[in-house]
Amino acid sequence: MVRYLVTSALPYANGPIHFGHLVGAYLPADVYARTLRMQGEEVLLVCGTDEHGVAITIGAEREQQPYAEYVAHWRTKIKASFDLFGIEFDVWSGTSISPFHVELSQEFFTRLDERGYLIQREIEQLHCPRCVRFLADRYVEGTCPHCGYEAARGDECPRCAKWLDPLAMLHPRCKVCGSTPTRKQTRHWYLDLPRLRDDKIGAWASGHEWKPNVAKFVANQLAEIEPRPITRDMQWGVPVPAARAGEQQGKVLYVWFDAPIGYISFTREWAKAQGRPQAWKDWWQSPDTRLVHFIGKDNIPFHCIVFPAMLHGVGQQYVLPWQVPATEFYNLEGKKFSTSAGWTIPPEEFAAQFDVESGRFYLLASMPETADSDFRWDEFQRTHNSLLADVIGNLATRVLRFQDKHYAGRIPALEPSYEAELDRVLLTECGSFADPAAHVREFRFRRAAEQLIENARVANVFVDRLAPWALQKTNPAKAASVLATCCEWLAYLAQWMAPFMPAKAQSLWSMLGLEGLVAGQGWPTLPVPGRYRRQLSGRKLGPVSALFPKLDDASIAAAIDRLKQATRS
RNA sequence: GGCGGUGUAGCUCAGUGGUUAGAGCGGCGGCUUCAUAAGCCGCAUGUCGGGGGUUCAAGUCCCUCCACCGCUACCA
């Protein structure tokens, strides 16, 4: 049986996440997993923080915190943001605490080395004597040798936009402490990507059916692939296995190497917690698995080439990715999200002011699927008010309040002689409806969101055409049948909504007087005349309230104001 | 510089080479009163960024130019 092993890019435990992260790799993964689960698929959604690397050591030192404490703080904080937005992982961990991570990462290193996929190179790097560490390009500042610009970055000159070799930079200084770095020889292991490409991964990657926005990247990367260093001179990380290190002491695996292995370590952690320690193999080493990586486009080379090369290189029948639905970038009001500059929307702040379910819907409806896109406050308000509140929310209240008033809060009886006519009108004459899940399976979340609204409109047209308020005076039995039919549709709507807005879907489900969890009902097949009703007549409605209270202009203006304030300070 | 993306109605966008290019929002007009001043129906607006080419046929394929954006890997 097919299994869906779904991963969301491991967030780096070095700061808070914002909407750009949510919409890129986490929300779509959550919706995808929820949808497939309702359809009866076996799904595992894996995530956790990426906690190694030099940026984290610098961050922790700045905060004067031990590394472990620093990453634990962000691990918890980031998880809290996901919880607020109803993003539910089956396992959540971190690369510095996951019990299998060190062992597994070292095993990858050892096996790749044994199988001839690692090479060693001697290189010269800048080393800061005061910080006592080698400086990554981005931590070097100096004068550009091309144009003389004095605050050039180690990797690129912002003025003349030329590539820089930090070793060639004039007057280099450590970006952290300002000291003048020295040149130092060091020896590192490199992953022999050209060889892995020629062995198998190249053919696999170029033959694989990627999403269109992924395919070009992959083709390009394959052509210019080079060996990549996978070790670093530092303490914070997974130590290079002692048996392999030889005289090269004090090195750890480079963070990009161990991070994706986290997907596997975390799965093992999950398996153990299930009491079936070997179960992780069913997911990672079974040909029945469909491995889906949700990532932002910056991660494409890793997930489409480098990590597959590693998985293949160890020769243990690991599955390779089935789909990598990479998103483009999400901006805020036309500019890049920037936590440090205050150009951001902290998830907690949003959740305190607005409806997170409505936020989920808007994010998905504006997701950068094929091109970069924007979070815009006025669009959020419009989506909330004219789609969610007016089309879905108002549909529920117009139908349910009518029944509260005239049918004592019960769903009235369906008169069998009207069933065929009402089915025909609802299902063939009130507009088109379709299964949102079909779009979700194709990673078309925007379209799925549109479809959800489209499906709700059908019932609004139905109500207008049949006008039960008028029928009530002339043909009460038919009026009752119309309302009963509307309730049937609302139940469908609740199910269709469930992956996008789980809590709202549940509220609607309860208003209809239905028991249990809507997410536990399975996914409905599309309504077909004569065979779609669950016979809700007679059921006592739950308390009816507005699903989506309108958002007024003032609260949106206030949010925009906060954004501007934060930028100024 | 290299690579990639985007450019379609006032706004946000959809559009497997094939009828008069579509949707939502916004605008205007009408209907309705069950409902969250909600709903429904109808109307309007396009040099499909410019130019060239291939084709019986181009928003769609090719070339070129323009504009905006992103990436450019020992950051993760």
Side-chain angles (χ1 to χ4, degrees), chain A residues 20-71:
Chain A
H21 299 115
L22 283 184
V23 79
Y26 309 100
L27 203 43
D30 179 70
V31 172
Y32 187 70
R34 286 176 189 271
T35 303
L36 292 187
R37 282 212 174 97
M38 283 181 78
Q39 294 189 322
E41 303 282 9
E42 208 179 332
V43 183
L44 193 71
L45 181 53
V46 178
C47 197
T49 35
D50 173 10
E51 305 177 343
H52 294 135
V54 67
I56 280 183
T57 64
I58 291 173
E61 285 160 21
R62 191 183 51 232
E63 301 296 322
Q64 301 188 314
Q65 281 183 347
Y67 303 151
E69 212 172 281
Y70 181 76
V71 298

Side-chain angles (χ1 to χ4, degrees), chain A residues 256-378:
Chain A
W256 69 254
F257 182 85
D258 86 78
I261 295 171
Y263 295 140
I264 310 171
S265 325
F266 301 167
T267 308
R268 285 179 74 164
E269 198 175 335
W270 167 85
K272 190 176 177 213
Q274 299 291 302
R276 296 181 297 137
Q278 295 303 305
W280 68 275
K281 292 182 181 172
D282 298 340
W283 293 91
W284 281 97
Q285 297 179 331
S286 156
D288 295 335
T289 295
R290 289 180 172 177
L291 174 59
V292 181
H293 292 305
F294 281 89
I295 57 169
K297 67 177 168 186
D298 50 333
N299 262 320
I300 291 172
F302 285 97
H303 289 79
C304 296
I305 297 173
V306 181
F307 187 45
M310 290 162 61
L311 291 169
H312 161 70
V314 295
Q316 293 178 304
Q317 273 84 51
Y318 277 104
V319 294
L320 298 180
W322 176 64
Q323 277 300 329
V324 180
T327 46
E328 303 291 303
F329 282 117
Y330 200 54
N331 295 315
L332 173 57
E333 301 279 355
K335 289 195 294 186
K336 265 177 105 158
F337 277 89
S338 169
T339 301
S340 55
W343 194 255
T344 185
I345 306 172
E348 314 68 54
E349 222 168 85
F350 181 91
Q353 294 281 324
F354 302 98
D355 185 331
V356 292
E357 299 257 313
S358 166
R360 280 174 67 107
F361 182 87
Y362 173 67
L363 287 173
L364 289 156
S366 63
M367 199 173 136
E369 279 171 352
T370 57
D372 292 359
S373 62
D374 279 272
F375 180 98
R376 280 178 35 186
W377 280 107
D378 61 343

Side-chain angles (χ1 to χ4, degrees), chain A residues 14 54-56 58 133-141 154 173-176 232:
Chain A
N14 193 35
V54 67
I56 280 183
I58 291 173
R133 71 176 146 235
F134 283 94
L135 299 176
D137 292 357
R138 60 180 292 196
Y139 292 112
V140 180
E141 264 182 356
R173 32 179 208 282
C174 170
K175 201 170 175 180
V176 177
R232 291 286 276 165

Side-chain angles (χ1 to χ4, degrees), chain A residues 387-400 460 547-548:
Chain A
L387 298 181
L388 295 177
D390 291 352
V391 178
I392 294 183
N394 182 58
L395 171 67
T397 42
R398 76 190 294 204
V399 169
L400 298 177
N460 273 322
L547 274 176
F548 300 97

Side-chain angles (χ1 to χ4, degrees), chain A residues 75 134 171 215 225 256 339 376 399 410 423 456 488 512 526:
Chain A
R75 186 192 310 125
F134 283 94
H171 313 299
I225 207 159
W256 69 254
T339 301
R376 280 178 35 186
V399 169
R410 286 187 184 277
D423 285 2
E488 299 285 352
L512 288 165
L526 273 184

Side-chain angles (χ1 to χ4, degrees), chain A residues 344-491:
Chain A
T344 185
I345 306 172
E348 314 68 54
E349 222 168 85
F350 181 91
Q353 294 281 324
F354 302 98
D355 185 331
V356 292
E357 299 257 313
S358 166
R360 280 174 67 107
F361 182 87
Y362 173 67
L363 287 173
L364 289 156
S366 63
M367 199 173 136
E369 279 171 352
T370 57
D372 292 359
S373 62
D374 279 272
F375 180 98
R376 280 178 35 186
W377 280 107
D378 61 343
E379 286 290 335
F380 168 64
Q381 182 189 24
R382 217 171 296 165
T383 299
H384 178 94
N385 286 349
S386 32
L387 298 181
L388 295 177
D390 291 352
V391 178
I392 294 183
N394 182 58
L395 171 67
T397 42
R398 76 190 294 204
V399 169
L400 298 177
R401 292 217 158 113
F402 197 96
Q403 294 171 65
D404 262 347
K405 262 188 217 162
H406 299 285
Y407 299 92
R410 286 187 184 277
I411 299 176
L414 171 75
E415 167 62 45
S417 61
Y418 291 120
E419 185 175 344
E421 180 199 343
L422 295 181
D423 285 2
R424 178 175 49 78
V425 174
L426 176 68
L427 302 176
T428 67
E429 295 176 12
C430 290
S432 64
F433 57 90
D435 188 351
H439 300 308
V440 169
R441 279 185 171 265
E442 291 168 353
F443 311 107
R444 305 287 300 265
F445 296 93
R446 294 173 76 130
R447 185 168 281 187
E450 270 173 37
Q451 193 61 61
L452 188 60
I453 302 296
E454 220 30 54
N455 289 357
R457 283 187 210 280
V458 168
N460 273 322
V461 175
F462 179 75
V463 174
D464 267 67
R465 296 236 344 219
L466 277 300
W469 53 90
L471 278 176
Q472 224 187 4
K473 293 163 192 152
T474 58
N475 188 345
K478 191 169 182 185
S481 303
V482 167
L483 290 165
T485 302
C486 290
C487 287
E488 299 285 352
W489 195 258
L490 285 175

